[in-house]
Amino acid sequence: MMRLIAAIVVLTLVAIGAGALAGLHLFAAAERVADAKKSATPPPIASSYAGSARLRKLSPIVTNLAAPANNWARVEASMVTESMSDEDAGILAAHISEDIITYLRSASVGQFEGSRGLQHLRDDLTERANIRSSGKVRELIIETLVIQ
């Protein structure tokens, strides 16, 4: 009986030792992986725009909608343009703001419902801005749209 108890104690001590060694090995491996992740430089974020592209913020636009007449819309947007002088960009931004006002005054609230409506608005305004600028505006980004 004594031999059986001694064998169980020895096996228990061997299991504790093996578990401790395995735990230390796993802990060291986890530290190596964490250190490797810290020292690794992240890959550069690929941009779909060339180095000459510039983001220009438009002034907030507030106007009434066509239907129903008591609804108002406020749009804050930015445009991605080719490199151009600040004066030319300011003039272009004013013309694009006028186009946005004209578009919104001819639109109804139902046109902007849901994600598809917002996507159609963005596509239409980007197309108008691109035509107005003779291709200098690559994209019109709608930052906020509030309809009241």
Side-chain angles (χ1 to χ4, degrees), residues 36-46:
K37 283 186 178 180
K38 284 181 186 176
S39 65
T41 58
I45 297 173

Side-chain angles (χ1 to χ4, degrees), residues 14-108:
V14 168
I16 290 172
L21 286 175
L24 289 174
H25 178 70
L26 288 174
F27 183 72
E31 280 185 337
R32 282 193 306 270
V33 169
D35 289 341
K37 283 186 178 180
K38 284 181 186 176
S39 65
T41 58
I45 297 173
S47 175
S48 60
Y49 303 111
S52 64
R54 187 162 172 211
L55 184 69
R56 299 175 191 273
K57 192 163 181 64
L58 300 176
S59 299
I61 299 165
V62 178
T63 185
N64 58 331
L65 299 175
N70 60 348
N71 281 5
W72 288 80
R74 176 186 167 94
V75 177
E76 291 183 18
S78 296
M79 60 182 183
V80 179
T81 63
E82 298 289 334
S83 61
M84 62 175 63
S85 70
D86 288 338
E87 184 178 330
D88 290 342
I91 293 169
L92 182 60
H95 287 300
I96 290 173
S97 294
E98 289 173 6
D99 286 347
I100 293 172
I101 290 171
T102 303
Y103 181 85
L104 290 174
R105 284 188 177 169
S106 65
S108 65

Side-chain angles (χ1 to χ4, degrees), residues 1-14:
M1 179 77 162
M2 202 57 164
R3 290 175 120 187
L4 181 64
I5 292 175
I8 291 175
V9 168
V10 168
L11 284 175
T12 303
L13 291 175
V14 168

